[in-house]
Amino acid sequence: MAAQPAPEVGPPGHHHFYYYYRALSSDNVKGLLLALSSSAFIGASFIIKKKGLKKAGESGLAAGNGGYSYLYEPLWWAGMIAMILGEAANFAAYAFAPAILVTPLGAVSIIISATLAHMILQERLHIFGMLGCVLCIVGSTTIVLHAPQERAIGSVTEVWDLATEPGFLCYALIVTALALVLIFYFVPRYGQTHILVYVGVCSLVGSLTVMSVRALGIALKLTFSGVNQLVYLQTWVFAVIVATCIVTQINYLNKALDTFNTAVVSPIYYVMFTSLTIVASVIMFKDWAGQNATQIVTEMCGFVTILSGTFLLHKTKDMVDTAGFLPIGSNGMTKHADKEDGFALEEMPLSFHDSCHNQV
């Protein structure tokens, strides 16, 4: 008599949980842990750097006005060290997991930043802001459970081939052109009043940074595993692009943090940066090539949930204390509204359209 197959053990649908476990037990787990630690460091760095920028602005020309007195402020450097540690963890995460998994987890840094801003900068967290944090966590979890596997790449030259395909070359040229227009035309005219100018530069350049960081991370991972990639010119080209883009991002992120409220900069930067990075990764690395429609739609739903959370964190800053709740920031949407800043109170436009409407 033929042996009967062993009975299935586990609750209905347990194969789905087993699938997720297998998906998360590979390099994705390493990428996940590195991405979470990165968010913790970066979220804290926003607050530390903001304190440093405030202190530096009291004794010299503020960064938002083109000054660099913050370079002599130890507190700013402490924040920079925290950010470097976070970026290093983020750098390593891209070597193990796809960008569509790593990048959206930056929402954790928003939660940490908003919480610390509430505790340290007295930027009060509204109860709906707390709900926004919960939505960010739910969306992040959804993406983690349905993220694609890391694409198997055996050489940095394979990444170079992906980067020089017509589709990604067009994307890179468009992003570079938009960033240059923002830097040379919009920054001198609207940088101090339009948050999307500084954040736009950071986000556009950031999407190229992530693609180069992922390429460089893969090259270093292969090198450490015994397959030397440092002999290829492409590795060093990616390294130069990474350095150039990071310096640009840091410069304009400092201007954004010094000019606008931290709890507003963080979510807007996250939304724009993550959206552009996902688009860049889908074009260059074709992350969705091995996934079905259900997985892709679920990932997008998770991303939209995160966007809803960041939007809620953003909009609750405008809410008046009519129901006994405290808004996130005691002065609302302001530029350096705290007394310790020593800057004038100024309403901050949410977008180019809103700003033009207000001026009219």
Side-chain angles (χ1 to χ4, degrees):
M1 182 177 179
Q4 295 296 321
E8 295 186 3
V9 179
H14 70 282
H15 285 301
H16 296 289
F17 292 102
Y18 178 66
Y19 169 78
Y20 295 139
Y21 173 78
R22 289 187 61 191
L24 292 175
S25 64
S26 60
D27 282 351
N28 280 11
V29 171
K30 298 176 184 177
L32 172 62
L33 295 176
L34 286 167
L36 291 175
S37 62
S38 168
S39 294
F41 280 113
I42 292 175
S45 74
F46 272 104
I47 306 304
I48 300 172
K49 288 175 66 178
K50 180 64 176 283
K51 293 290 288 185
L53 289 169
K54 286 181 178 181
K55 191 173 181 181
E58 294 173 357
S59 58
L61 185 62
N65 295 323
Y68 295 93
S69 58
Y70 60 85
L71 293 176
Y72 302 97
E73 176 54 51
L75 194 58
W76 182 85
W77 280 108
M80 178 56 64
I81 291 173
M83 176 165 281
I84 290 173
L85 291 174
E87 293 297 345
N90 202 44
F91 178 96
Y94 284 111
F96 292 97
I100 200 169
L101 167 62
V102 175
T103 307
L105 291 178
V108 177
S109 69
I110 297 177
I111 298 172
I112 294 173
S113 180
T115 302
L116 292 179
H118 171 79
M119 298 170 60
I120 299 175
L121 301 180
Q122 284 74 52
E123 297 175 0
R124 298 295 180 181
L125 185 61
H126 193 280
I127 189 170
F128 288 140
M130 298 178 188
L131 177 59
C133 292
V134 172
L135 288 175
C136 289
I137 294 173
V138 172
S140 298
T141 303
T142 302
I143 290 177
V144 167
L145 292 177
H146 295 85
Q149 291 285 356
E150 172 72 339
R151 177 173 180 160
I153 294 178
S155 170
V156 71
T157 57
E158 293 182 33
V159 184
W160 182 263
D161 291 338
L162 294 173
T164 53
E165 288 184 356
F168 186 75
L169 282 178
C170 289
Y171 174 84
L173 289 174
I174 292 172
V175 164
T176 302
L178 289 175
L180 290 175
V181 169
L182 285 175
I183 291 172
F184 292 107
Y185 182 81
F186 287 97
V187 165
R189 294 169 175 80
Y190 307 109
Q192 292 292 305
T193 56
H194 296 69
I195 190 172
L196 293 183
V197 175
Y198 290 147
V199 176
V201 174
C202 293
S203 303
L204 288 166
V205 175
S207 67
L208 298 180
T209 303
V210 169
M211 297 303 101
S212 300
V213 162
R214 190 175 177 190
L216 188 58
I218 291 171
L220 293 177
K221 183 177 73 171
L222 291 171
T223 299
F224 292 144
S225 65
V227 185
N228 188 11
Q229 301 295 303
L230 301 181
V231 297
Y232 295 105
L233 176 63
Q234 291 90 332
T235 300
W236 300 103
V237 172
F238 283 127
V240 171
I241 295 174
V242 168
T244 303
C245 291
I246 286 178
V247 169
T248 303
Q249 281 183 266
I250 291 175
N251 183 37
Y252 286 96
L253 182 58
N254 281 333
K255 293 178 183 294
L257 287 172
D258 192 55
T259 307
F260 304 105
N261 193 303
T262 307
V264 177
V265 172
S266 299
I268 294 179
Y269 176 49
Y270 168 79
V271 170
M272 295 180 65
F273 169 71
T274 304
S275 300
L276 289 169
T277 299
I278 289 177
V279 170
S281 185
V282 168
I283 294 174
M284 179 173 170
F285 288 95
K286 302 172 179 60
D287 291 331
W288 289 342
Q291 293 195 294
N292 57 42
T294 302
Q295 291 173 309
I296 295 173
V297 170
T298 303
E299 289 166 16
M300 288 298 95
C301 287
F303 182 52
V304 170
T305 302
I306 296 175
L307 295 187
S308 301
T310 56
F311 177 80
L312 198 55
L313 276 167
H314 182 200
K315 292 301 290 182
T316 51
K317 294 187 63 60
D318 262 345
M319 296 185 69
V320 180
D321 186 16
T322 58
F325 297 121
L326 288 173
I328 294 177
S330 56
N331 292 319
M333 298 281 253
T334 61
K335 170 189 174 184
H336 287 308
D338 298 340
K339 292 181 180 179
E340 61 179 318
D341 291 337
F343 293 89
L345 183 69
E346 178 179 332
E347 183 179 359
M348 184 181 67
L350 304 181
S351 64
F352 293 115
H353 177 270
D354 291 341
S355 175
C356 295
H357 178 73
N358 291 337
Q359 291 175 359
V360 174

